[in-house]
Amino acid sequence: MAGLLDKRKFYIDGAWVDPVRANDLEVIDPSAEEAVAVISLGDQADTDRAVAAAKAAFASWSRSEPSERLAHVEKILEIYNRRAADMAWAISHEMGAPQDMSLDDQVAAGTWHITNFINAFKDFDFIRPLGDHAPTSMVAWEPVGVVGLITPWNWPMNQVTLKVIPAILAGDTCVLKPSEIAPLSSMLFAEIVDEAGLPKGVFNLVNGDGPGVGTQLSTHRDVDMISFTGSTRAGIAITKAAADTLKKVVLELGGKGANIVFADADDKAVVRGARHCFYNSGQSCNAPTRMLVERSVYDHAVETAAKVANETQVATAHQPGRHIGPVVSKQQWERIQDLIQKGIDEGARLVAGGPGLPEGVNRGYFVRPTVFADVSNDMTIAQQEIFGPVLSIIPFETEEEAIAIANDTPYGLTNYVQSQDGARRNRLARQLRSGMVEMNGQSRGAGSAFGGVKMSGRAREGGVMGLEEFMDSKAISGWAAD
């Protein structure tokens, strides 16, 4: 990995190039609070170079055969899997995912998405009949153009593969700006793309921050689409910045998922929900951070969740094991501490965890797995996305009350239902205002789209819908029969 650590370059037009003006930034290992690498942040000239390369490559790439694009992606998958250990190392050191989790979950998420896109693409019809009623009317799916891809730090390869792979399969060309906090995995991904032999200019990478390269891509007249994953605040800023050029903007933003636990839920429901909340140190937009529990089983649920929190080990990302690592940065750690204190100040009952570092830890951005009981949904900890291992438990009396509490949030990404009553689950699945509903611990199927509603954005990433996201549809009439 030494070569990766020494890079202060960008990947533009099929080559690693120096920035126009070096503006260096340290990448901090959150387990050790020490610099693990130094990168350069791009400026307008770097963004312009990358966009120009993508624009020049679009004419030929957009007309390439689908089979050619598929072959490139299959090669990317082969190399990606071969370099899985390197990728896991990068993710652990840049954002703090524990060693085993980094390989088995973070890196594996990329494999999962690339594989699902390959399968979906093989059956994708770029030209489809409108219907039997209009035999000469067709719907054609065509590439959008040059797309700017802005990805977050919490699931680096999950988000990079959900954007880069469908973009290049669709026939788009792209400029990736990964999070400046966790850029190493994306730089390694650029090495993988380079080895796979993708034509020059189809994929480009420029490191930078949101106000810099992020804004430059969002306002650039030669960028036809922005696909962004990150905070709702940044998503709003990107939408405003992109308005003058009327580009397509696709946003996957925050969440404040409700996990509704009924009295007839299976005996592992609360344990499963608490562990899911603490997973990835709570740094997942679809984390079930509000646990709504039916009153008759509320006290037992609080006791169980507190036990899970107290048994959840916190340790460095550099060692194997089933523990959670640090949160990504000092800024994030301080924000989580402030929100934990806010929960205490507003009257929630702290039953596990709390402010400060875990016992025995004196360095690193580690957060104590924390559980609040007797939370009301108007409290700050119930309304704001904390992005740390903090669970809020809220009682409810009736199904109608549970639905009302779950929907009483500006977000709408993922909600969860735990019940043995199938009819009830189906009712709630339709009444909960979110882009996804998962029930009784069943995850989404392969190729299912990921995305939300309301202030969670309205992206649909993954599978066929994820491919269509990076295309425009065209209505054609008078199509000649073969």
Side-chain angles (χ1 to χ4, degrees), residues 129-458:
L130 180 63
D132 293 340
H133 67 289
T136 64
S137 293
M138 307 295 286
V139 178
W141 289 91
E142 300 184 348
V144 174
V146 175
V147 298
L149 311 174
I150 304 175
T151 55
W153 46 260
N154 60 321
W155 282 92
M157 281 302 103
N158 182 77
Q159 291 307 133
V160 167
T161 56
L162 277 171
K163 297 182 189 301
V164 173
I165 299 302
I168 60 180
L169 284 172
D172 299 314
T173 56
C174 58
V175 179
L176 170 65
K177 189 211 82 67
S179 168
E180 72 276 17
I181 297 175
L184 303 182
S185 54
S186 290
M187 296 180 77
L188 178 55
F189 186 82
E191 290 186 352
I192 291 169
V193 170
D194 185 66
E195 184 179 344
L198 205 64
K200 293 180 179 181
V202 172
F203 170 84
N204 307 273
L205 179 148
V206 178
N207 282 317
D209 57 19
V213 175
T215 298
Q216 292 156 17
L217 287 172
S218 301
T219 58
H220 207 292
R221 294 194 175 277
D222 290 333
V223 172
D224 301 289
M225 171 182 171
I226 291 288
S227 177
F228 169 79
T229 298
S231 70
T232 297
R233 174 196 55 76
I236 292 170
I238 285 171
T239 302
K240 292 178 178 179
D244 287 344
T245 52
L246 293 176
K247 56 174 55 66
K248 182 176 183 178
V249 178
V250 178
L251 306 174
E252 197 279 283
L253 308 175
K256 195 67 184 177
N259 184 10
I260 305 175
V261 181
F262 287 93
D264 68 342
D266 67 87
D267 58 3
K268 299 294 185 184
V270 173
V271 172
R272 184 170 63 240
R275 287 177 176 169
H276 192 174
C277 177
F278 303 147
Y279 180 63
N280 201 37
S281 300
Q283 300 171 122
S284 298
C285 52
N286 63 338
T289 52
R290 292 182 299 153
M291 183 178 287
L292 282 51
V293 182
E294 192 168 1
R295 178 70 72 176
S296 62
V297 294
Y298 177 76
D299 290 341
H300 180 66
V302 170
E303 180 182 338
T304 300
K307 184 173 184 289
V308 172
N310 291 328
E311 292 176 349
T312 299
Q313 296 182 344
V314 183
T316 176
H318 304 164
Q319 68 184 42
R322 294 177 59 84
H323 58 278
I324 65 172
V327 295
V328 73
S329 66
K330 183 177 182 181
Q331 180 182 20
Q332 185 68 12
W333 187 88
E334 290 175 343
R335 181 178 184 276
I336 294 166
Q337 298 303 307
D338 289 345
L339 286 167
I340 291 174
Q341 187 61 50
K342 191 78 169 177
I344 295 171
D345 294 343
E346 291 184 357
R349 177 162 58 100
L350 182 67
V351 296
L357 291 169
E359 186 177 350
V361 173
N362 58 16
R363 69 184 310 184
Y365 308 128
F366 297 97
V367 176
R368 301 170 67 191
T370 297
V371 178
F372 284 103
D374 304 344
V375 176
S376 62
N377 204 52
D378 59 351
M379 291 181 177
T380 303
I381 57 173
Q383 288 293 314
Q384 289 191 19
E385 186 178 40
I386 299 174
F387 234 55
V390 181
L391 176 65
S392 299
I393 306 183
I394 304 171
F396 70 86
E397 300 287 351
T398 66
E399 179 179 315
E400 292 73 22
E401 183 185 11
I403 294 170
I405 294 171
N407 287 339
D408 181 21
T409 172
Y411 297 104
L413 191 57
T414 311
N415 285 308
Y416 302 81
V417 180
Q418 318 298 326
S419 172
Q420 298 305 303
D421 185 335
R424 170 191 278 158
R425 293 200 308 273
N426 291 349
R427 283 196 304 273
L428 265 73
R430 298 305 305 274
Q431 295 180 58
L432 292 170
R433 293 201 63 199
S434 55
M436 299 170 285
V437 178
E438 298 184 15
M439 301 187 285
N440 287 356
Q442 294 188 31
S443 299
R444 300 180 313 281
S448 179
F450 186 102
V453 298
K454 300 195 289 184
M455 290 187 73
S456 293
R458 283 180 163 79

Side-chain angles (χ1 to χ4, degrees), residues 80 83-111 153-158 185 188 279-280 316-325:
Y80 181 89
R83 300 204 64 180
D86 290 340
M87 187 65 77
W89 186 96
I91 292 172
S92 289
H93 283 75
E94 67 186 3
M95 61 76 59
Q99 188 178 106
D100 289 346
M101 186 262 187
S102 185
L103 181 62
D104 297 339
D105 298 331
Q106 290 272 4
V107 177
T111 299
W153 46 260
N154 60 321
W155 282 92
M157 281 302 103
N158 182 77
S185 54
L188 178 55
Y279 180 63
N280 201 37
T316 176
H318 304 164
Q319 68 184 42
R322 294 177 59 84
H323 58 278
I324 65 172

Side-chain angles (χ1 to χ4, degrees), residues 61 66-82 111 114-122 165 168-169 192 195-198:
W61 184 249
S67 59
E68 177 187 350
R69 303 199 293 270
L70 178 61
H72 281 293
V73 170
E74 289 174 333
K75 186 65 174 178
I76 289 171
L77 177 59
E78 175 191 331
I79 302 167
Y80 181 89
N81 288 335
R82 169 160 50 82
T111 299
I114 299 172
T115 301
N116 289 336
F117 279 127
I118 288 172
N119 292 336
F121 190 74
K122 288 177 178 177
I165 299 302
I168 60 180
L169 284 172
I192 291 169
E195 184 179 344
L198 205 64

